[in-house]
Amino acid sequence: MAERYCVCGCAVKGEHWAACPDFGREDGSCRGCVQIEARDGMLLCERCYRALRRHLEDAADLVGHLRSIADPTKATPYDRIRVDSSRPEMPAPVAADLIDASDDIVRTMRAWALYVQFGEGHPWRAEGLQAGIDAASAWDDVNGCAEVILLDLDHLAKDSHQIGSLCEGVLDVHRGEPERWSIADAASRYSLDDQPRWANAPCPDCNLMAVHIQPGRNRRPSRYRCSTLGCGWEANSLDDGGLWASVFAEPVPVEVRPHDPRWLTLADAARLVERTTGTVRNWVTQNLLTPQMGRYWQDEALAVAAQKRGEAA
């Protein structure tokens, strides 16, 4: 079977084919031309597949975030143009980018959800958000679309006619003002307020202690992403049979138990059985008593003392 390479054109940084005409040039015109092999049975490399999945999972939270910033019931869109008015009832202005970005993401998500459900040629057109919709309703709408797309993601990643278009709407990052916002465009400009923590194990690719753990939101799996420049490894808690969930699990704190008063010091044990400390040490030598970290179990000391007195243990 012929090797498949990532349709996004991903290449191994610093690795070149022997015939590369730009290899070694000081201007760095070719940073690497050896293509990265696609994930098994798919048309995306591992990194692009996981980034695509991550952005789809985040789409609902991102749209909800954008709508909460730009409440359409209290703001008027503007495009970096200051508007002066003496009318006190004028709503506060809000950047048109917020409205455009959320609308474009919703159109993308609705279009792909319709495609997954009904295939090509469906009669419905994917529209943007309704005017005045609140953040919670927008989240519900996009989350429903994301659930549909994610269930079929592995199949879409094998479809040579569709995967490029899906990546264009989700992964492409445009310079300047995008004509149509991708999910990655919005995520890079209006990032979600996440609180990741550092992992206590190294990245499996670069072997550096640089993995951030993002706890899962809305029943999504936790994510692990390496922050080392040029690495970019990522996975979630379900990948590889849950392997990374165990690798990056937080260490279980040592249980600290309160002191049990029945563990006695040598002096206390001797006082309890009315013997000298030397006698108690002899019982240890005779293997009649077994101390634990310099302490003696009360019941065991009493039993040995009773035995020595000729009483029943």
Side-chain angles (χ1 to χ4, degrees):
M1 179 177 176
E3 291 181 343
R4 295 185 178 186
Y5 300 102
C6 181
V7 297
C8 295
C10 298
V12 182
K13 184 178 179 180
E15 293 191 17
H16 306 263
W17 297 117
C20 176
D22 298 319
F23 176 58
R25 288 190 179 183
E26 294 184 359
D27 60 1
S29 52
C30 180
R31 302 188 58 168
C33 54
V34 177
Q35 293 173 286
I36 297 179
E37 291 185 19
R39 184 182 169 102
D40 188 26
M42 299 183 186
L43 297 172
L44 294 174
C45 66
E46 193 71 28
R47 185 177 301 178
C48 287
Y49 174 84
R50 293 182 176 181
L52 179 64
R53 181 182 61 190
R54 168 169 46 87
H55 282 304
L56 289 170
E57 290 174 346
D58 279 349
D61 290 328
L62 186 57
V63 169
H65 177 54
L66 295 174
R67 300 304 287 186
S68 66
I69 298 174
D71 188 339
T73 64
K74 300 178 182 177
T76 299
Y78 76 98
D79 198 5
R80 294 181 176 81
I81 299 175
R82 184 175 179 82
V83 179
D84 293 320
S85 174
S86 60
R87 295 176 58 190
E89 69 274 11
M90 282 287 290
V94 61
D97 286 350
L98 293 168
I99 306 298
D100 293 340
S102 57
D103 277 357
D104 287 347
I105 293 173
V106 170
R107 288 191 181 94
T108 296
M109 297 298 289
R110 286 177 174 175
W112 283 99
L114 287 170
Y115 172 78
V116 169
Q117 287 183 305
F118 304 107
E120 293 187 77
H122 56 80
W124 299 280
R125 181 184 174 187
E127 301 287 347
L129 288 170
Q130 298 86 342
I133 190 171
D134 59 45
S137 299
W139 186 92
D140 287 336
D141 190 317
V142 179
N143 186 61
C145 295
E147 295 286 355
V148 172
I149 299 169
L150 287 167
L151 284 173
D152 203 52
L153 182 59
D154 286 1
H155 180 264
L156 290 172
K158 301 174 184 176
D159 189 337
S160 59
H161 299 291
Q162 300 298 336
I163 190 58
S165 297
L166 179 59
C167 289
E168 182 179 349
V170 176
L171 290 181
D172 284 3
V173 178
H174 306 91
R175 293 184 178 180
E177 298 299 321
E179 183 177 342
R180 177 162 182 162
W181 289 73
S182 69
I183 298 176
D185 282 328
S188 63
R189 186 172 304 186
Y190 303 104
S191 61
L192 296 168
D193 187 19
D194 293 334
Q195 298 296 326
R197 65 174 176 86
W198 290 103
N200 57 1
C203 169
D205 276 7
C206 67
N207 204 35
L208 297 177
M209 298 292 288
V211 176
H212 266 141
I213 300 179
Q214 173 59 58
R217 296 187 302 266
N218 303 308
R219 301 185 302 278
R220 301 289 188 194
S222 297
R223 297 182 187 140
Y224 315 106
R225 299 182 67 192
C226 182
S227 59
T228 304
L229 185 64
C231 179
W233 176 87
E234 70 174 276
N236 72 29
S237 54
L238 301 181
D239 285 334
D240 303 311
L243 169 65
W244 306 113
S246 59
V247 170
F248 297 117
E250 290 191 73
V252 178
V254 177
E255 183 181 1
V256 178
R257 297 181 179 180
H259 171 64
D260 191 328
R262 290 174 294 178
W263 284 105
L264 307 174
T265 64
L266 176 61
D268 289 339
R271 190 177 301 112
L272 175 67
V273 298
E274 299 178 346
R275 297 288 193 278
T276 65
T277 55
T279 299
V280 176
R281 286 198 189 98
N282 288 335
W283 293 349
V284 174
T285 304
Q286 297 168 19
N287 294 323
L288 299 175
L289 271 182
T290 306
Q292 296 289 333
M293 299 182 67
R295 300 276 175 163
Y296 302 82
W297 186 242
Q298 172 184 292
D299 294 346
E300 188 178 6
L302 289 172
V304 174
Q307 178 184 352
K308 292 295 183 178
R309 294 191 188 102
E311 300 175 5

